[in-house]
Amino acid sequence: MTQEYDSADLSMIFAKVCERLIDAAPHLNELDAQLGDGDLGTTLRAVATALQGELCNMPLPISDFMEKISQIIAGVSGSSFSAIMMAGVNRVAAETNGQNTLLSTQISDLIRLAMESMMGAGGANLGDKTVLDGLNGIADAIDRETDHTKLASAADEALSRIMKDFKSKPCKIGRARLAGDRSIGLDDPGMTALKHMIEAINGSHDSGSDFTGGVDAH
Amino acid sequence: MKKIINDPKNYVDESLEGLVLAYPSEFECIGANKRVVVRPDSKASGKVGLATGGGFGHLPLFAGYVGEGLLDSCAVGDVFAGPSANDVTEAIEAADFGSGVLSIIGNYGGDRMVFNMVKDALESKGVRNQLVIVADDVASAPPLEHSKRRGVAGLTFAFKIAGAAAERGRTLDDVAAITERAMNNCRSIGVALSSCTIPQAGKPTFEIDDESIEMGMGIHGEQGVWRGGLKSADDLADEMLDRVLEDNPIASGERIALLCNSLGATPIDELFIFYRRLAQRLSSAGVDIALPMIGHYTTSMEMAGITVSVMTLDDELESLMREPAACPFWRNL
């Protein structure tokens, strides 16, 4: 069955995501510092904080809603992860022109289109151990799930499985590629950030065995 | 963390404020976040505009090279973190004097993506602009993957060459092509002796013990080609010159610009000890160091270490390098 999400529904989802990203910032920084420059958590916290302040005031149609998110990212951060997020969000905006609601059945296609733009902007491919591998698994899992109430849990389960698979593989792009075999055994920070977001939507808490931030505070 | 700061949060903004207070006729901060450095009362009109942007913590690199005969604007990010898309947009718009804008940046994922995205967005709004990405660090990828190399001190050459070409009234395509040619002639490598601390992180970006150095390390502490015991200045100079020449051989009789740069904590005294060996080696190979540059040009805050950049010259590149520029951080050659 198809579910429609309006601007209020989406704002509620993003509110949960923002809250979680702010709590997860130290965890993401620490993870990123092992392979990159250690600012992924700070970056996402800045984006989440700025977005929180605007969520009561998001425009329609969905394309404008998404464009506003892109503008918020554009205003606060210039990191590669932000630029890739913007590329994805801009694509979703372009593909939802004129829609006042988002259909649950659209989500997997939108994720795949967003991934295409993200690959174009960042130059990563599937298998490089980036957030794209996580998104790809989510899109597949959502495709198979016919019950819209189970979309978030299906995405969460798929992502857990993918992160487990990739943990033993090396990163193949960005500064982390220089770490080579040192990246084996570590979760990709981008995928972990995605896991936090999906868990926030699903209401679960298990991103990474060492993650404790924020859980007890609620 | 031992730094002369007030609040880590204000590191970038207070440093920029001081820069403008020290040189009010040379620098001004504009834009919604006051993170776009421009030339105040720029008399530029009709010339190609030059913009850049990057993380902070490398002064004089990026913002310090805004000046007559150099850059027109610079979008400033946080320490070691690129500027936001909005600030980049404002920087490029501020450098638009009607003949198009060339942005010159280092090859870092975030900067590349943000500048590309902004370039396309401005292009569709009718602002003609191009992008040159500098990737001069030979230690960061092998020759076949040179597009993956990081941009380091060679950026200084790129800014100077493009700045002089733009002042001469060259077209956007010309300025971009000359800058690309200069960068095809340029190779760099660095060695780090000690780490540096991002103020808001509060602890060193990487750990390196007192006895060790890292050859090929990037200006944000990116992994280099080997880590091992300290060597003499001559041995380091030999290895670094060899690595640069291996990538871009220089024939006897050629003229070069040679930049011997401190990453921050390394004193000028040591730069000269190091330069001495480079000059001996190059002279015995019959290479003419037409333009020696020794000093702090591209830094990583308090990191100790040296980078070497070599750019082979032709008549045009040499005359563009020699063209006087007016900027507190540029010493005319």
Side-chain angles (χ1 to χ4, degrees):
Chain A
M1 220 178 81
T2 305
Q3 173 75 16
E4 292 187 34
Y5 306 98
D6 62 14
S7 149
D9 297 328
L10 291 180
S11 292
M12 219 154 71
I13 291 171
F14 276 103
K16 290 182 194 169
V17 168
C18 289
E19 195 181 341
R20 180 62 174 264
L21 285 176
I22 291 167
D23 289 341
H27 175 231
L28 293 173
N29 276 344
E30 211 171 289
L31 205 57
D32 188 33
Q34 301 187 47
L35 297 169
D37 45 9
D39 65 354
L40 181 65
T42 309
T43 296
L44 290 174
R45 183 172 55 203
V47 170
T49 307
L51 183 54
Q52 265 185 338
E54 296 288 335
L55 279 177
C56 53
N57 191 21
M58 295 299 279
L60 276 176
I62 300 297
S63 50
D64 287 8
F65 188 105
M66 291 297 165
E67 256 168 43
K68 179 136 189 190
I69 291 177
S70 172
Q71 284 160 8
I72 288 167
I73 303 172
V76 297
S77 165
S79 79
S80 48
F81 199 80
S82 307
I84 288 169
M85 282 197 295
M86 279 171 69
V89 172
N90 285 344
R91 182 63 180 268
V92 173
E95 300 290 339
T96 50
N97 207 1
Q99 278 183 238
N100 278 320
T101 56
L102 187 72
L103 307 178
S104 56
T105 45
Q106 270 187 291
I107 297 175
S108 58
D109 283 342
L110 286 172
I111 291 175
R112 290 200 180 92
L113 291 166
M115 285 169 56
E116 191 181 283
S117 296
M118 293 161 83
M119 289 184 200
N125 291 307
L126 286 179
D128 285 351
K129 193 172 179 179
T130 71
V131 69
L132 289 165
D133 294 303
L135 286 171
N136 188 49
I138 289 175
D140 288 346
I142 291 179
D143 260 350
R144 285 191 298 269
E145 183 54 68
T146 49
D147 182 352
H148 71 84
T149 61
K150 292 183 180 157
L151 288 180
S153 57
D156 197 0
E157 278 163 28
L159 196 48
S160 294
R161 188 167 36 75
I162 283 159
M163 287 178 69
K164 201 165 160 248
D165 285 353
F166 272 93
K167 195 160 186 159
S168 58
K169 296 177 183 170
C171 292
K172 292 190 188 156
I173 193 167
R175 188 194 290 193
R177 86 186 143 79
L178 296 170
D181 290 350
R182 276 202 295 122
S183 63
I184 292 175
L186 296 173
D187 286 324
D188 171 61
M191 261 195 266
T192 310
L194 181 64
K195 184 80 166 88
H196 278 295
M197 298 185 215
I198 297 295
E199 284 183 8
I201 300 170
N202 189 34
S204 59
H205 283 290
D206 66 350
S207 17
S209 49
D210 52 348
F211 175 65
T212 50
V215 178
D216 299 328
H218 298 285
Chain B
M1 174 172 61
K2 221 186 223 177
K3 281 180 188 279
I4 300 169
I5 57 173
N6 297 307
D7 183 332
K9 272 205 315 287
N10 302 334
Y11 185 88
V12 178
D13 293 309
E14 291 186 359
S15 185
L16 288 176
E17 269 177 54
L19 175 79
V20 170
L21 287 168
Y23 304 108
S25 11
E26 280 83 8
F27 300 109
E28 184 184 2
C29 289
I30 62 163
N33 302 317
K34 295 279 176 224
R35 284 291 184 92
V36 178
V37 175
V38 296
R39 293 154 59 181
D41 337 304
S42 172
K43 291 182 189 64
S45 98
K47 81 169 191 87
V48 168
L50 293 172
T52 191
F56 199 71
H58 307 297
L59 279 178
L61 190 70
F62 299 121
Y65 294 125
V66 169
E68 198 183 324
L70 285 154
L71 302 169
D72 297 290
S73 67
C74 174
V76 181
D78 287 320
V79 175
F80 292 3
S84 72
N86 286 358
D87 290 339
V88 170
T89 305
E90 285 172 332
I92 295 177
E93 284 173 340
D96 184 7
F97 308 114
S99 298
V101 180
L102 178 66
S103 300
I104 302 170
I105 60 167
N107 192 20
Y108 296 95
D111 293 337
R112 205 177 52 222
M113 284 182 245
V114 169
F115 271 83
N116 264 316
M117 208 179 281
V118 172
K119 175 170 78 86
D120 294 344
L122 285 174
E123 199 72 51
S124 66
K125 278 171 56 186
V127 179
R128 252 183 356 114
N129 72 113
Q130 292 189 31
L131 180 61
V132 168
I133 295 169
V134 173
D136 55 321
D137 184 355
V138 298
S140 47
L144 282 174
E145 295 178 11
H146 60 87
S147 63
K148 288 184 181 171
R149 288 177 172 174
R150 302 181 288 257
V152 288
L155 280 158
T156 313
F157 293 146
F159 295 159
K160 180 65 184 70
I161 295 282
E167 293 290 345
R168 287 183 183 177
R170 303 296 294 269
T171 64
L172 177 58
D173 286 345
D174 280 357
V175 177
I178 294 167
T179 311
E180 293 273 15
R181 187 172 92 234
M183 289 301 96
N184 283 337
N185 289 2
C186 175
R187 302 288 188 282
S188 301
I189 190 169
V191 64
L193 279 57
S194 69
S195 188
C196 60
T197 296
I198 297 175
Q200 282 194 271
K203 51 185 184 192
T205 301
F206 59 95
E207 299 290 343
I208 185 161
D209 63 63
D210 281 353
E211 311 306 318
S212 299
I213 63 173
E214 186 154 332
M215 177 61 65
M217 180 167 268
I219 58 173
H220 311 96
E222 296 95 337
Q223 191 173 330
V225 288
W226 60 258
R227 184 178 279 217
L230 183 61
K231 296 183 175 183
S232 71
D234 287 0
D235 285 349
L236 287 175
D238 282 344
E239 174 171 354
M240 290 164 82
L241 189 61
D242 287 342
R243 286 180 180 274
V244 162
L245 295 182
E246 186 189 350
D247 208 89
N248 189 33
I250 301 174
S252 171
E254 282 202 82
R255 296 164 71 75
I256 62 165
L258 177 61
L259 169 55
C260 211
N261 167 63
S262 166
L263 283 169
T266 292
I268 299 174
D269 314 13
E270 292 176 25
L271 294 182
F272 282 120
I273 294 172
F274 185 86
Y275 177 77
R276 169 183 164 276
R277 177 66 172 187
L278 294 179
Q280 288 169 348
R281 282 271 319 268
L282 287 162
S283 153
S284 64
V287 176
D288 179 2
I289 307 173
L291 305 171
M293 293 161 62
I294 290 104
H296 291 77
Y297 288 85
T298 298
T299 63
S300 299
M301 296 185 291
E302 71 276 26
M303 191 189 287
I306 286 179
T307 69
V308 186
S309 303
V310 174
M311 178 171 69
T312 48
L313 298 168
D314 54 37
D315 289 347
E316 185 181 34
L317 293 180
E318 184 170 346
S319 79
L320 290 166
M321 285 297 292
R322 285 189 188 279
E323 198 93 9
C327 164
F329 299 103
W330 180 260
R331 196 174 294 114
N332 286 322
L333 296 162

